[in-house]
Amino acid sequence: MSPVLNLAFAALSDPTRREIVQQLAKGAARVTDLAQPFDMSFNAVSKHVKVLERAGLVRRTRAGREHHIALDPEPIRRIAGWASRYERFWSDRLDKLEAFLKANRKRD
Amino acid sequence: MSPVLNLAFAALSDPTRREIVQQLAKGAARVTDLAQPFDMSFNAVSKHVKVLERAGLVRRTRAGREHHIALDPEPIRRIAGWASRYERFWSDRLDKLEAFLKANRKRD
DNA sequence: CATATATTCAACCTGTGGGTTGAATATAGC
DNA sequence: GCTATATTCAACCCACAGGTTGAATATATG
């Protein structure tokens, strides 16, 4: 039972939250900025950010009335580490994984 | 919106299901075998297997009254691919990822 | 100070998740 | 054929997830 993985996997199971993570990969942003592309209420996005925060996927720094949200890649790293355990099921050599990773940098 | 990732992440957010996956990494098994280590009803485990199946993480082949459950690593591969997009956040070179993966083969 | 902006908090609704129990179904073995 | 085994199906419960709206809070700005 790994609470980190439980929360990280659960947080990333929602496509809206994965889009937010993707957004944050380009740099930190305010909640308003993150909410802007979505066709849902600001409050809904605010909740999503809170879920990501609770899972440790993002960090929040307050600057006046604005909250700066930044990606913390550690849980994703943990997920990559977890997934790597099954890497032998799709190839025996890490350079094959490397090739796969390279080919999949853009897609969702 | 990637249904594959939605379902795979959601399925793997449950520690029981991750344990089942881990169990299946050692080879295919019957539902009864999978249920045996857990302190919950057989039916609960049967449900978990169904969730994994729906997510494409396992495949089922019927042999008489026994159902053989086998790991299908493709969705995990997809997750590894997704996570790899953020690899630049923790290192710039894939050989660093490789080292990390090697060091984390055993843990949960 | 008054108002606009950025954000959370709280209450609510509906759907789904994980668990239970009890029954149904199908195959195996004596 | 009868009984035991392997499994799903169905109904139910409770907790949580994702969304809404309305209000509260805090900071900027004219």
Side-chain angles (χ1 to χ4, degrees), chain B:
Chain B
M1 173 204 37
S2 167
V4 178
L5 287 181
N6 292 353
L7 291 173
F9 274 122
L12 294 172
S13 72
D14 185 285
T16 301
R17 288 194 288 262
R18 285 202 307 280
E19 277 190 55
I20 292 176
V21 166
Q22 196 168 336
Q23 197 68 24
L24 289 170
K26 302 176 198 150
R30 300 174 305 154
V31 183
T32 303
D33 302 327
L34 294 172
Q36 192 265 324
F38 294 105
D39 189 25
M40 69 179 71
S41 75
F42 173 86
N43 277 11
V45 175
S46 171
K47 268 189 171 185
H48 279 303
V49 171
K50 246 173 288 181
V51 172
L52 289 169
E53 190 182 15
R54 186 154 164 277
L57 283 156
V58 306
R59 297 192 58 186
R60 182 192 304 258
T61 59
R62 265 142 283 232
R65 62 183 167 182
E66 303 184 350
H67 295 205
H68 263 74
I69 313 296
L71 188 63
D72 184 340
E74 181 54 27
I76 299 182
R77 195 176 187 161
R78 286 287 302 275
I79 284 180
W82 181 89
S84 76
R85 225 196 276 170
Y86 302 93
E87 158 253 334
R88 68 179 174 89
F89 278 88
W90 62 75
S91 86
D92 282 352
R93 312 267 314 290
L94 270 165
D95 49 51
K96 286 197 180 170
L97 171 62
E98 178 180 329
F100 172 78
L101 297 183
K102 271 190 175 132
N104 283 274
R105 286 238 171 84
K106 298 147 193 76
R107 227 167 282 109
D108 173 57

